[in-house]
Amino acid sequence: WDLKTGRCTVLERPKTGFSLHAGYGGNIHLTGKCDGESPVSFLETIDFNKKTSTRYRFPRKINSVRETADGRLVLALADSPMDPSSGTLLVFSPQKTPPEAALLPGHTLGTRDCLLSGPSILTCGEEGPGHSIKIWGGAYFVRTELGKLAINPE
């Protein structure tokens, strides 16, 4: 998508449905199911400034993607029928060579979506018979801010 001319160029037309996720600095992230490889999914990052496109494959369905200001991606993943104890929240660093990933527990039956808010990540997903919301990194942030208040009495 060229914002100056208002034109969009179709790079590839996937045979299956896909979702668009907006990123920082002109990046767009596409997610979808790989053809004939259920539940394998792809994440394709399109950088319009550099005119590049990079595709990554993941062994599970990607429910949502959020990008941090430093380029890391937080992926909300479906649960794994092969390993229910594995995490459903992935922090992915595609800018590193090779790319790095950290799998967090997330929600036991899948993380549906996430929201990045300062130092915290808010997630929603399924836990057993019900839904839940989790706040990741909140306790450390609150302790840090309370410490600042103790130092500054105003």
Side-chain angles (χ1 to χ4, degrees), residues 62-93:
I62 301 169
N63 291 326
S64 74
V65 178
R66 301 290 179 247
E67 184 176 354
T68 64
D70 65 1
R72 290 177 294 162
L73 303 176
V74 179
L75 284 66
L77 303 174
D79 68 328
S80 172
M82 303 297 266
D83 184 8
S85 65
S86 69
T88 60
L89 189 65
L90 183 76
V91 179
F92 183 61
S93 301

Side-chain angles (χ1 to χ4, degrees), residues 83-151:
D83 184 8
S85 65
S86 69
T88 60
L89 189 65
L90 183 76
V91 179
F92 183 61
S93 301
Q95 72 276 23
K96 296 193 176 184
T97 305
E100 294 179 356
L103 189 61
L104 303 174
H107 298 263
T108 54
L109 298 177
T111 301
R112 300 263 183 199
D113 203 354
C114 58
L115 174 68
L116 307 179
S117 176
S120 298
I121 301 172
L122 287 76
T123 62
C124 64
E126 293 184 56
E127 304 282 347
H131 301 282
S132 68
I133 294 176
K134 291 184 178 183
I135 302 172
W136 302 81
Y140 174 76
F141 176 71
V142 169
R143 279 196 309 271
T144 303
E145 292 304 307
L146 285 175
K148 288 179 186 176
L149 289 175
I151 293 170

Side-chain angles (χ1 to χ4, degrees), residues 5-73:
T5 63
R7 299 187 67 144
C8 178
T9 303
V10 177
L11 301 176
E12 178 181 339
R13 177 178 277 168
K15 294 178 183 170
T16 61
F18 63 92
S19 299
L20 286 171
H21 309 273
Y24 281 96
N27 291 341
I28 290 183
H29 308 288
L30 299 171
T31 59
K33 185 175 128 288
C34 291
D35 296 335
E37 295 187 54
S38 183
V40 176
S41 60
F42 70 85
L43 164 69
E44 184 155 357
T45 298
I46 301 171
D47 185 333
F48 290 102
N49 294 326
K50 295 179 183 174
K51 297 182 180 175
T52 61
S53 173
T54 308
R55 182 174 281 207
Y56 306 95
R57 294 164 53 97
F58 293 90
R60 284 191 261 161
K61 180 182 180 225
I62 301 169
N63 291 326
S64 74
V65 178
R66 301 290 179 247
E67 184 176 354
T68 64
D70 65 1
R72 290 177 294 162
L73 303 176

